[in-house]
Amino acid sequence: MKLHYGFDDLKDFNFMAYLPIILPVIVVSGVLILIALIDLYRHRKMRENVVLWAFIILFANTIGSILYFVLGRKDSERL
């Protein structure tokens, strides 16, 4: 049993076999991030901590945009 894998072992890995699984996840993640940033920009006067939410959306990727839609949109309801 091999316990250490190096970069030489990646040449035997078939990335194209996993592309149909990975590509939809990447596309959905990108669309969620884009929609969250557009919504944040459109309602920037009603939101608190716009810069913080932008960083969360961009750097936490899919989870950041989901957090924005669940928690960040409630800022306007409180006002």
Side-chain angles (χ1 to χ4, degrees):
M1 183 171 163
K2 192 173 184 179
L3 295 177
H4 176 71
Y5 294 95
F7 289 113
D8 294 333
D9 296 325
L10 286 177
K11 68 180 177 187
D12 298 330
F13 186 75
N14 187 7
F15 289 106
M16 297 305 282
Y18 293 101
L19 192 63
I21 298 169
I22 296 171
L23 194 60
V25 172
I26 292 171
V27 169
V28 168
S29 174
V31 168
L32 271 175
I33 291 169
L34 185 65
I35 291 172
L37 287 173
I38 290 171
D39 186 70
L40 181 65
Y41 179 75
R42 285 185 180 170
H43 300 101
R44 66 185 177 275
K45 301 217 189 291
M46 297 171 24
R47 303 277 188 260
E48 298 174 5
N49 303 323
V50 175
V51 176
L52 179 65
W53 276 115
F55 280 124
I56 290 173
I57 292 169
L58 288 173
F59 294 117
N61 293 332
T62 307
I63 293 178
S65 58
I66 292 171
L67 282 175
Y68 170 73
F69 286 122
V70 171
L71 301 174
R73 292 185 59 140
K74 292 181 182 179
D75 287 345
S76 64
E77 295 174 2
R78 286 188 240 145
L79 296 175

